[in-house]
Amino acid sequence: MIVKILKKSSTFKAVNYNTGKVDKNKGELLLVKNFGVLQGIENVRPQDYINYLEAVSSSSTRIKYPQFHVAISTKGRQHSKEELSDIAQKWMEGMGYGGQPYLLIFHKDTNNNHVHLVSTRVGRNGKKISDRFEKLRAYRVLDQIMGVDEKQVLKDQLEKALSYNFSTRAQFMMLLETNGYSLDLTAKTYTINKNGQHIGSIDLSEIDQKIPERKKDTARMTQIRAIFEKYKSIYDTSINNTDHGYSSEFAEFLRKKFGLEIIFHGKNGKPPYGYTLIDHAKRAVYKGGEIMALKDMLTVKPDQTDESRNEPIQNGIQLADKDNQAEINSENEEEVQSENSDNALDDTPSNEIQSAKHAPSEQETVFHIPDINISDDIDDEAILGRNRRRKRKARTNTR
């Protein structure tokens, strides 16, 4: 399950966006809470909700972007609209918005059930609802509601990662980073963080003793090459470069169909020079050159960075939720497009800590594509590890 705090705005256009979904039978208004007399009136117009939110927000002239717009999404149909409604209300309470006026809308036009929440950041007392470390707290509150024990989850993830065949520490790190963790190297351990919180560590000796045990499955490698050869002529292999990372139709297909996850390696937003492949089906990690040279597999398009997308990928997204996250990002873009006559939307990051956002630098960057990871015949430990230690940053882009 994921939670995403959407773009800030000085107006409440998210009300029209969500009620528009309802009008098109793509959504359902589940709850109108704390709107006073409006809750007793039939046939309330969207503008009535906007007027009420503006009236509450007018008690403070210092808050420039009062709209609070959030999406909470489950994987597929794991949670019903009723369950999502209950989770969303508890989440609002945990984030300090329980007493605020807000709308709760269920969206049913994507592969993943999800709800949207629209409220105001201005409290009844005229003060701003705390947004301190907001994006980090968003996941902590959701984890508490869902009863997630992060330490137990990490223990399970470490056990699973150690069961893979890998040849370098860097490859082991990728296995955790694709699940939203960041790792920092110390003298004897990797310290492990998630959502800005330290949750555990692993001794380097545990990793190092697994490296010599790696056995290449030549039959499987041959099979993967055959898969690449067969489908690269069917699916578009062109790489699109956005500030969310690299993507391609071909890579998406391999991820969904065969559990082959490609991680592209690039620098400063330029076309990738290599990749690493994670074979989740057989629990093995390969340098891309062991399977197929990047130039023989993919076509790189010119830089197509969409500068309108400033939202970083959240650090807490689980691998299984990446399709889910993509839907939310797409909806976010849809909302912006539906408001292209309104210049009030603001993409400027808040002052909170945004550990997932990476400013351009000379440091090498590894762009992550959901569920498929590939690298050319390059020593990822020697090159990627060295640069990451220099900057103390994670290998993959996170959301």
Side-chain angles (χ1 to χ4, degrees), residues 173-202:
M173 289 180 68
M174 287 185 213
L175 291 168
L176 292 179
E177 289 170 350
T178 55
N179 282 284
Y181 295 100
S182 62
L183 288 78
D184 292 317
L185 180 64
T186 67
K188 295 183 178 181
T189 67
Y190 275 128
T191 60
I192 304 171
N193 307 285
K194 191 169 187 181
N195 297 332
Q197 183 179 18
H198 171 71
I199 55 175
S201 63
I202 181 171

Side-chain angles (χ1 to χ4, degrees), residues 2 42 54 79 94 149 391:
I2 68 171
E42 294 183 1
E54 288 178 341
H79 295 84
D149 183 343
K391 293 292 184 178

Side-chain angles (χ1 to χ4, degrees), residues 236 238-247 269-271 299-309:
D236 186 2
S238 302
I239 296 177
N240 299 307
N241 181 12
T242 74
D243 61 354
H244 292 309
Y246 296 123
S247 64
K270 296 178 181 179
T299 302
V300 180
K301 285 184 176 180
D303 186 9
Q304 298 179 354
T305 301
D306 181 356
E307 294 182 358
S308 68
R309 295 183 175 184

Side-chain angles (χ1 to χ4, degrees), residues 274-287:
Y275 69 94
T276 297
L277 176 67
I278 301 180
D279 179 6
H280 291 288
K282 297 297 184 179
R283 299 198 175 189
V285 185
Y286 301 97
K287 294 179 182 179

